[in-house]
Amino acid sequence: MDYHYTALWFLDLGWKGAFEQLSHYSIGDTGYNFYLMLIYYIFGPNIFLARVFKALMSAYTAVLVYRLTRSTINESTGRMAGIFCGLAPNLILYCGMHLKETEMIFLTVAALERANHMLRSEKLKVWDVIVTVLLVLSLFTFRSVLGSTVVFAIITAMVFSSSAVVGRWNRVVLITWAVLALAVFAGGTIANEAQGLWRGRNYNQTAKRDWQVRKGVKWAKYATGTVMAPMMFVLPFPTMVDVDRQYNQQMINSGNYVRNFMGIFVLIGLFGAIFTQKKWRDFSLIGAFVISYLGVISASGFANSERFLLPGMPFLLIIAAYGVSLLSARNYRWVRFWYAFVPIMVIAWAVFKLGTRDML
Protein backbone atom coordinates (compact mmCIF):
# COMPACT_ATOMS: atom_id res chain seq x y z
CA MET A 1 0.00 0.00 0.00
CA ASP A 2 3.04 2.30 -0.08
CA TYR A 3 2.08 3.26 -3.64
CA HIS A 4 -1.40 4.26 -2.45
CA TYR A 5 -0.12 6.39 0.43
CA THR A 6 2.51 8.03 -1.78
CA ALA A 7 -0.20 9.03 -4.29
CA LEU A 8 -2.30 10.49 -1.44
CA TRP A 9 0.75 12.42 -0.22
CA PHE A 10 1.35 13.83 -3.71
CA LEU A 11 -2.29 14.92 -3.88
CA ASP A 12 -1.84 16.85 -0.63
CA LEU A 13 1.34 18.47 -1.95
CA GLY A 14 -0.31 19.61 -5.18
CA TRP A 15 1.15 19.38 -8.67
CA LYS A 16 4.16 21.60 -8.04
CA GLY A 17 5.10 19.83 -4.81
CA ALA A 18 4.52 16.40 -6.37
CA PHE A 19 6.80 17.12 -9.33
CA GLU A 20 9.44 18.48 -6.97
CA GLN A 21 9.34 15.23 -4.97
CA LEU A 22 9.37 13.08 -8.12
CA SER A 23 12.54 14.87 -9.25
CA HIS A 24 14.32 13.18 -6.34
CA TYR A 25 13.12 9.69 -7.35
CA SER A 26 14.98 7.41 -9.73
CA ILE A 27 13.45 7.45 -13.22
CA GLY A 28 12.08 3.92 -12.84
CA ASP A 29 10.04 4.88 -9.77
CA THR A 30 8.28 7.95 -11.14
CA GLY A 31 5.80 6.56 -13.66
CA TYR A 32 3.48 4.53 -11.46
CA ASN A 33 3.42 7.08 -8.64
CA PHE A 34 2.46 9.81 -11.11
CA TYR A 35 -0.14 7.55 -12.76
CA LEU A 36 -1.82 6.76 -9.43
CA MET A 37 -1.81 10.42 -8.45
CA LEU A 38 -3.46 11.30 -11.78
CA ILE A 39 -6.15 8.62 -11.30
CA TYR A 40 -6.85 9.83 -7.76
CA TYR A 41 -6.89 13.47 -8.89
CA ILE A 42 -9.52 12.78 -11.59
CA PHE A 43 -11.69 10.16 -9.87
CA GLY A 44 -10.82 10.55 -6.19
CA PRO A 45 -8.59 8.33 -4.01
CA ASN A 46 -10.55 5.16 -4.75
CA ILE A 47 -8.51 1.94 -4.56
CA PHE A 48 -11.27 -0.13 -6.15
CA LEU A 49 -11.53 2.14 -9.20
CA ALA A 50 -7.75 2.03 -9.71
CA ARG A 51 -7.99 -1.76 -9.84
CA VAL A 52 -10.89 -1.61 -12.30
CA PHE A 53 -8.51 0.25 -14.62
CA LYS A 54 -5.99 -2.55 -14.06
CA ALA A 55 -8.59 -5.11 -15.16
CA LEU A 56 -9.37 -3.11 -18.31
CA MET A 57 -5.67 -2.76 -19.14
CA SER A 58 -5.03 -6.44 -18.54
CA ALA A 59 -7.98 -7.41 -20.76
CA TYR A 60 -6.75 -5.16 -23.56
CA THR A 61 -3.26 -6.64 -23.14
CA ALA A 62 -4.75 -9.98 -24.25
CA VAL A 63 -6.11 -8.24 -27.36
CA LEU A 64 -2.69 -6.73 -28.11
CA VAL A 65 -1.05 -10.15 -27.64
CA TYR A 66 -3.50 -11.55 -30.21
CA ARG A 67 -2.68 -8.76 -32.68
CA LEU A 68 1.08 -9.13 -32.23
CA THR A 69 0.95 -12.91 -32.64
CA ARG A 70 -1.40 -12.78 -35.62
CA SER A 71 0.92 -10.36 -37.39
CA THR A 72 4.08 -12.29 -36.48
CA ILE A 73 2.85 -15.89 -36.90
CA ASN A 74 -0.75 -16.46 -38.03
CA GLU A 75 -4.42 -16.03 -37.07
CA SER A 76 -4.99 -19.34 -35.25
CA THR A 77 -1.83 -19.02 -33.16
CA GLY A 78 -2.81 -15.42 -32.39
CA ARG A 79 -6.16 -16.58 -31.04
CA MET A 80 -4.47 -19.21 -28.87
CA ALA A 81 -2.00 -16.66 -27.50
CA GLY A 82 -4.81 -14.20 -26.72
CA ILE A 83 -6.78 -16.89 -24.89
CA PHE A 84 -3.69 -18.04 -22.97
CA CYS A 85 -3.06 -14.44 -21.92
CA GLY A 86 -6.70 -13.80 -20.99
CA LEU A 87 -6.84 -16.89 -18.78
CA ALA A 88 -3.34 -16.68 -17.25
CA PRO A 89 -3.91 -16.89 -13.46
CA ASN A 90 -1.09 -14.55 -12.47
CA LEU A 91 -2.16 -11.79 -14.87
CA ILE A 92 -5.68 -11.99 -13.41
CA LEU A 93 -4.47 -12.00 -9.81
CA TYR A 94 -2.29 -8.91 -10.31
CA CYS A 95 -5.43 -6.92 -11.19
CA GLY A 96 -6.34 -7.26 -7.50
CA MET A 97 -2.99 -5.97 -6.24
CA HIS A 98 -1.92 -2.34 -5.99
CA LEU A 99 1.42 -3.01 -7.69
CA LYS A 100 2.62 -1.56 -10.99
CA GLU A 101 3.07 -4.82 -12.92
CA THR A 102 -0.28 -4.71 -14.77
CA GLU A 103 0.36 -1.23 -16.19
CA MET A 104 3.98 -2.10 -16.92
CA ILE A 105 3.03 -5.24 -18.87
CA PHE A 106 0.39 -3.31 -20.81
CA LEU A 107 2.95 -0.69 -21.86
CA THR A 108 5.51 -3.37 -22.80
CA VAL A 109 3.09 -5.33 -24.98
CA ALA A 110 1.71 -2.11 -26.52
CA ALA A 111 5.22 -0.84 -27.33
CA LEU A 112 6.26 -4.07 -29.04
CA GLU A 113 2.92 -4.44 -30.84
CA ARG A 114 3.18 -0.90 -32.23
CA ALA A 115 6.86 -1.44 -33.10
CA ASN A 116 5.93 -4.64 -34.95
CA HIS A 117 3.17 -2.78 -36.82
CA MET A 118 5.62 0.00 -37.71
CA LEU A 119 8.26 -2.44 -38.98
CA ARG A 120 5.81 -4.43 -41.12
CA SER A 121 3.98 -1.46 -42.63
CA GLU A 122 4.49 -0.95 -46.34
CA LYS A 123 4.77 2.78 -45.80
CA LEU A 124 6.47 4.24 -42.74
CA LYS A 125 4.18 6.70 -40.94
CA VAL A 126 5.39 9.43 -38.60
CA TRP A 127 2.47 8.83 -36.23
CA ASP A 128 3.45 5.16 -35.79
CA VAL A 129 7.00 6.19 -34.92
CA ILE A 130 5.80 8.81 -32.40
CA VAL A 131 3.43 6.40 -30.63
CA THR A 132 6.12 3.71 -30.41
CA VAL A 133 8.68 6.15 -29.02
CA LEU A 134 6.26 7.51 -26.41
CA LEU A 135 5.36 3.98 -25.25
CA VAL A 136 9.04 3.02 -24.98
CA LEU A 137 9.92 6.19 -23.06
CA SER A 138 7.03 5.62 -20.65
CA LEU A 139 8.47 2.18 -19.88
CA PHE A 140 11.65 3.75 -18.55
CA THR A 141 9.55 5.51 -15.90
CA PHE A 142 8.26 2.13 -14.66
CA ARG A 143 11.39 -0.05 -14.87
CA SER A 144 14.55 1.04 -16.67
CA VAL A 145 15.58 -2.51 -17.54
CA LEU A 146 12.28 -3.05 -19.37
CA GLY A 147 12.73 0.06 -21.46
CA SER A 148 16.29 -0.91 -22.33
CA THR A 149 15.37 -4.45 -23.39
CA VAL A 150 12.45 -3.22 -25.50
CA VAL A 151 14.82 -0.83 -27.31
CA PHE A 152 17.25 -3.70 -27.83
CA ALA A 153 14.46 -5.94 -29.18
CA ILE A 154 13.28 -3.28 -31.67
CA ILE A 155 16.80 -2.64 -32.97
CA THR A 156 17.40 -6.41 -33.23
CA ALA A 157 14.23 -6.77 -35.30
CA MET A 158 15.32 -3.91 -37.56
CA VAL A 159 18.63 -5.64 -38.26
CA PHE A 160 17.69 -9.31 -38.46
CA SER A 161 14.11 -9.46 -39.76
CA SER A 162 13.87 -10.80 -43.29
CA SER A 163 13.20 -8.44 -46.20
CA ALA A 164 9.72 -9.99 -46.50
CA VAL A 165 8.91 -8.55 -43.08
CA VAL A 166 10.82 -5.26 -43.06
CA GLY A 167 11.24 -3.46 -46.39
CA ARG A 168 14.72 -2.28 -47.34
CA TRP A 169 13.81 1.43 -47.26
CA ASN A 170 12.02 1.12 -43.90
CA ARG A 171 15.05 -0.70 -42.52
CA VAL A 172 17.49 1.98 -43.64
CA VAL A 173 15.35 4.84 -42.33
CA LEU A 174 14.61 3.18 -38.98
CA ILE A 175 18.18 2.06 -38.31
CA THR A 176 19.49 5.53 -39.16
CA TRP A 177 16.90 7.13 -36.90
CA ALA A 178 17.64 4.63 -34.10
CA VAL A 179 21.38 5.36 -34.24
CA LEU A 180 20.74 9.11 -34.03
CA ALA A 181 18.24 8.64 -31.20
CA LEU A 182 20.70 6.49 -29.24
CA ALA A 183 23.43 9.10 -29.74
CA VAL A 184 21.16 11.74 -28.19
CA PHE A 185 19.89 9.33 -25.54
CA ALA A 186 23.40 8.21 -24.47
CA GLY A 187 24.11 11.29 -22.41
CA GLY A 188 20.76 11.49 -20.63
CA THR A 189 19.54 10.60 -17.17
CA ILE A 190 17.80 7.41 -18.35
CA ALA A 191 20.97 6.15 -20.02
CA ASN A 192 23.04 6.86 -16.92
CA GLU A 193 20.58 4.97 -14.74
CA ALA A 194 20.48 2.01 -17.14
CA GLN A 195 24.29 1.92 -17.27
CA GLY A 196 24.41 2.02 -13.48
CA LEU A 197 22.04 -0.92 -13.23
CA TRP A 198 24.10 -2.90 -15.73
CA ARG A 199 27.40 -2.14 -14.03
CA GLY A 200 25.92 -3.09 -10.66
CA ARG A 201 24.27 -6.34 -11.81
CA ASN A 202 26.94 -8.61 -10.29
CA TYR A 203 27.03 -6.66 -7.05
CA ASN A 204 23.24 -6.75 -6.94
CA GLN A 205 23.18 -10.55 -7.20
CA THR A 206 26.00 -11.05 -4.71
CA ALA A 207 24.46 -8.63 -2.18
CA LYS A 208 21.07 -10.36 -2.44
CA ARG A 209 22.56 -13.82 -1.93
CA ASP A 210 24.78 -12.65 0.98
CA TRP A 211 21.74 -11.08 2.66
CA GLN A 212 19.80 -14.32 2.25
CA VAL A 213 22.67 -16.37 3.70
CA ARG A 214 22.89 -14.04 6.71
CA LYS A 215 19.16 -14.56 7.28
CA GLY A 216 19.72 -18.32 7.39
CA VAL A 217 18.95 -19.12 3.75
CA LYS A 218 22.27 -20.96 3.45
CA TRP A 219 21.93 -22.58 0.05
CA ALA A 220 20.92 -19.32 -1.61
CA LYS A 221 24.57 -18.73 -2.59
CA TYR A 222 24.24 -21.52 -5.15
CA ALA A 223 21.36 -19.77 -7.00
CA THR A 224 23.71 -17.84 -9.29
CA GLY A 225 22.94 -16.48 -12.74
CA THR A 226 24.80 -19.40 -14.35
CA VAL A 227 22.56 -21.87 -12.53
CA MET A 228 19.29 -19.98 -13.01
CA ALA A 229 19.68 -18.84 -16.65
CA PRO A 230 18.96 -22.26 -18.26
CA MET A 231 15.67 -22.43 -16.32
CA MET A 232 14.41 -18.93 -17.13
CA PHE A 233 11.77 -20.12 -19.59
CA VAL A 234 9.97 -22.18 -16.94
CA LEU A 235 10.60 -20.19 -13.74
CA PRO A 236 9.40 -19.27 -11.17
CA PHE A 237 8.72 -22.43 -9.20
CA PRO A 238 5.76 -22.52 -6.80
CA THR A 239 6.66 -22.98 -3.16
CA MET A 240 5.14 -25.46 -0.74
CA VAL A 241 7.14 -23.95 2.13
CA ASP A 242 5.15 -21.62 4.39
CA VAL A 243 7.24 -18.47 4.72
CA ASP A 244 5.80 -15.95 7.16
CA ARG A 245 4.19 -12.81 5.66
CA GLN A 246 4.70 -13.87 2.02
CA TYR A 247 0.97 -13.63 1.33
CA ASN A 248 1.17 -12.62 -2.33
CA GLN A 249 3.56 -15.48 -3.03
CA GLN A 250 1.16 -17.94 -1.40
CA MET A 251 -1.72 -16.56 -3.49
CA ILE A 252 0.05 -16.92 -6.84
CA ASN A 253 1.49 -20.40 -6.25
CA SER A 254 -1.11 -22.04 -8.47
CA GLY A 255 -0.34 -19.58 -11.26
CA ASN A 256 3.36 -20.45 -11.03
CA TYR A 257 2.44 -24.12 -11.30
CA VAL A 258 0.54 -23.37 -14.53
CA ARG A 259 3.58 -21.48 -15.86
CA ASN A 260 5.81 -24.47 -15.16
CA PHE A 261 3.52 -26.77 -17.14
CA MET A 262 3.33 -24.30 -20.04
CA GLY A 263 7.14 -24.28 -20.15
CA ILE A 264 7.31 -27.36 -22.39
CA PHE A 265 5.33 -25.58 -25.11
CA VAL A 266 7.71 -22.62 -24.84
CA LEU A 267 10.67 -24.96 -25.35
CA ILE A 268 8.96 -26.66 -28.33
CA GLY A 269 8.18 -23.23 -29.82
CA LEU A 270 11.77 -22.02 -29.43
CA PHE A 271 13.19 -25.22 -30.89
CA GLY A 272 10.76 -25.05 -33.80
CA ALA A 273 11.44 -21.40 -34.60
CA ILE A 274 15.22 -21.87 -34.56
CA PHE A 275 15.75 -25.37 -35.96
CA THR A 276 12.74 -27.03 -37.63
CA GLN A 277 10.79 -24.10 -39.06
CA LYS A 278 13.84 -21.80 -39.23
CA LYS A 279 11.76 -18.64 -38.82
CA TRP A 280 13.81 -17.07 -36.04
CA ARG A 281 14.51 -13.96 -38.14
CA ASP A 282 10.81 -13.20 -38.41
CA PHE A 283 10.36 -13.80 -34.65
CA SER A 284 13.40 -11.70 -33.71
CA LEU A 285 11.35 -8.92 -32.07
CA ILE A 286 9.61 -11.24 -29.59
CA GLY A 287 12.61 -13.53 -29.14
CA ALA A 288 15.10 -10.71 -28.56
CA PHE A 289 12.91 -9.17 -25.87
CA VAL A 290 12.22 -12.43 -24.02
CA ILE A 291 15.83 -13.65 -24.08
CA SER A 292 17.39 -10.29 -23.19
CA TYR A 293 14.93 -9.43 -20.40
CA LEU A 294 14.96 -12.87 -18.78
CA GLY A 295 18.73 -12.95 -19.21
CA VAL A 296 19.10 -9.68 -17.29
CA ILE A 297 16.80 -10.95 -14.52
CA SER A 298 18.71 -14.25 -14.26
CA ALA A 299 21.92 -12.26 -13.78
CA SER A 300 20.35 -10.27 -10.95
CA GLY A 301 19.36 -11.37 -7.47
CA PHE A 302 15.73 -11.90 -8.50
CA ALA A 303 15.97 -14.92 -10.81
CA ASN A 304 13.10 -16.75 -9.08
CA SER A 305 11.12 -13.63 -8.20
CA GLU A 306 7.71 -14.01 -9.83
CA ARG A 307 7.12 -10.27 -9.80
CA PHE A 308 10.31 -9.51 -11.75
CA LEU A 309 9.73 -12.36 -14.21
CA LEU A 310 6.09 -11.44 -14.87
CA PRO A 311 6.68 -8.86 -17.67
CA GLY A 312 8.05 -11.66 -19.84
CA MET A 313 4.96 -13.82 -19.38
CA PRO A 314 2.77 -12.54 -22.28
CA PHE A 315 5.63 -13.18 -24.71
CA LEU A 316 6.33 -16.62 -23.27
CA LEU A 317 2.64 -17.36 -23.83
CA ILE A 318 3.03 -16.29 -27.47
CA ILE A 319 5.92 -18.73 -27.86
CA ALA A 320 3.89 -21.38 -26.00
CA ALA A 321 0.98 -20.89 -28.42
CA TYR A 322 3.40 -21.33 -31.31
CA GLY A 323 4.70 -24.48 -29.61
CA VAL A 324 1.15 -25.86 -29.35
CA SER A 325 0.63 -25.17 -33.06
CA LEU A 326 3.71 -27.30 -33.80
CA LEU A 327 2.57 -30.30 -31.75
CA SER A 328 2.75 -33.64 -33.52
CA ALA A 329 2.78 -37.31 -32.64
CA ARG A 330 6.57 -37.13 -32.72
CA ASN A 331 7.13 -34.29 -30.25
CA TYR A 332 4.11 -34.92 -28.01
CA ARG A 333 6.14 -37.53 -26.13
CA TRP A 334 8.15 -34.64 -24.67
CA VAL A 335 4.93 -33.12 -23.32
CA ARG A 336 4.04 -36.38 -21.58
CA PHE A 337 7.54 -36.55 -20.10
CA TRP A 338 7.27 -32.92 -18.93
CA TYR A 339 4.03 -33.56 -17.07
CA ALA A 340 5.86 -36.16 -15.00
CA PHE A 341 8.96 -33.99 -14.62
CA VAL A 342 7.28 -30.78 -13.35
CA PRO A 343 6.13 -32.27 -9.99
CA ILE A 344 9.69 -33.52 -9.46
CA MET A 345 11.06 -30.00 -10.07
CA VAL A 346 8.52 -28.48 -7.68
CA ILE A 347 9.34 -30.99 -4.92
CA ALA A 348 13.07 -30.46 -5.51
CA TRP A 349 12.55 -26.70 -5.11
CA ALA A 350 10.70 -27.30 -1.83
CA VAL A 351 13.57 -29.50 -0.62
CA PHE A 352 16.03 -26.76 -1.60
CA LYS A 353 14.09 -24.14 0.39
CA LEU A 354 13.87 -26.43 3.43
CA GLY A 355 17.56 -27.21 3.18
CA THR A 356 18.47 -23.51 3.14
CA ARG A 357 16.74 -23.18 6.50
CA ASP A 358 18.28 -26.29 8.09
CA MET A 359 14.85 -27.93 8.25
CA LEU A 360 15.76 -31.24 6.57
Side-chain angles (χ1 to χ4, degrees):
M1 295 304 295
D2 284 347
Y3 285 125
H4 171 67
Y5 294 127
T6 301
L8 293 180
W9 177 45
F10 284 171
L11 278 180
D12 290 337
L13 291 175
W15 290 104
K16 183 178 179 180
F19 280 116
E20 183 178 345
Q21 291 298 322
L22 284 171
S23 66
H24 300 299
Y25 283 50
S26 65
I27 293 294
D29 290 327
T30 58
Y32 188 59
N33 285 309
F34 175 76
Y35 165 77
L36 269 187
M37 177 194 173
L38 186 62
I39 292 293
Y40 290 176
Y41 178 80
I42 298 172
F43 300 102
N46 189 317
I47 292 176
F48 175 77
L49 192 59
R51 298 188 188 186
V52 169
F53 282 113
K54 289 179 183 289
L56 294 172
M57 282 189 183
S58 192
Y60 196 64
T61 297
V63 176
L64 293 175
V65 164
Y66 157 72
R67 290 180 180 174
L68 176 59
T69 313
R70 178 188 62 183
S71 175
T72 305
I73 306 174
N74 55 49
E75 173 74 19
S76 61
T77 306
R79 292 189 179 196
M80 274 195 290
I83 292 169
F84 288 173
C85 191
L87 299 179
N90 287 8
L91 295 181
I92 296 171
L93 290 168
Y94 267 86
C95 294
M97 300 183 195
H98 223 58
L99 300 171
K100 63 182 179 179
E101 270 60 34
T102 298
E103 289 82 0
M104 197 160 57
I105 290 170
F106 168 76
L107 290 172
T108 303
V109 176
L112 289 178
E113 192 275 331
R114 286 292 86 193
N116 181 69
H117 173 76
M118 176 182 68
L119 292 171
R120 292 172 182 267
S121 296
E122 292 183 5
K123 186 177 180 181
L124 194 61
K125 297 178 181 178
V126 175
W127 177 247
D128 290 337
V129 176
I130 292 173
V131 170
T132 304
V133 169
L134 289 176
L135 287 168
V136 171
L137 289 177
S138 68
L139 272 173
F140 281 97
T141 68
F142 279 76
R143 188 174 291 168
S144 299
V145 171
L146 261 181
S148 301
T149 49
V150 167
V151 170
F152 172 76
I154 295 172
I155 294 176
T156 301
M158 290 179 192
V159 175
F160 289 104
S161 293
S162 65
S163 56
V165 173
V166 181
R168 181 179 298 177
W169 177 243
N170 279 8
R171 195 193 307 270
V172 171
V173 172
L174 288 171
I175 291 177
T176 303
W177 179 84
V179 170
L180 293 174
L182 286 174
V184 175
F185 169 77
T189 304
I190 294 176
N192 293 334
E193 184 172 319
Q195 290 170 5
L197 289 170
W198 176 252
R199 286 195 298 267
R201 67 193 187 282
N202 293 326
Y203 173 78
N204 171 280
Q205 184 181 58
T206 303
K208 175 79 179 293
R209 299 308 176 207
D210 289 346
W211 174 78
Q212 289 175 322
V213 170
R214 287 196 301 271
K215 286 191 65 177
V217 187
K218 297 181 179 179
W219 293 0
K221 61 184 177 181
Y222 300 114
T224 61
T226 306
V227 173
M228 303 302 284
M231 300 185 287
M232 292 308 293
F233 296 111
V234 299
L235 289 175
F237 294 124
T239 178
M240 293 183 285
V241 179
D242 183 13
V243 180
D244 187 38
R245 298 177 65 85
Q246 291 191 358
Y247 307 122
N248 285 351
Q249 184 171 325
Q250 292 167 1
M251 182 173 67
I252 60 180
N253 271 338
S254 58
N256 290 350
Y257 200 56
V258 171
R259 289 187 64 168
N260 297 153
F261 272 97
M262 296 294 285
I264 184 59
F265 302 115
V266 175
L267 297 176
I268 291 173
L270 287 171
F271 185 85
I274 297 171
F275 297 107
T276 58
Q277 303 294 313
K278 296 182 179 179
K279 293 183 177 180
W280 67 269
R281 293 171 66 91
D282 295 342
F283 300 162
S284 56
L285 180 69
I286 296 171
F289 172 76
V290 169
I291 293 172
S292 60
Y293 180 72
L294 295 183
V296 169
I297 297 301
S298 69
S300 72
F302 304 96
N304 195 54
S305 172
E306 192 274 343
R307 185 182 174 191
F308 280 84
L309 292 170
L310 193 69
M313 188 176 181
F315 306 97
L316 291 176
L317 292 176
I318 292 174
I319 301 173
Y322 181 60
V324 171
S325 73
L326 297 178
L327 279 182
S328 63
R330 183 179 180 182
N331 60 26
Y332 187 69
R333 68 181 187 272
W334 296 111
V335 178
R336 294 166 64 182
F337 166 77
W338 189 259
Y339 285 171
F341 184 59
V342 167
I344 296 174
M345 289 194 299
V346 173
I347 293 171
W349 179 249
V351 171
F352 177 84
K353 293 195 76 172
L354 290 172
T356 62
R357 293 167 173 82
D358 285 333
M359 295 176 67
L360 290 178

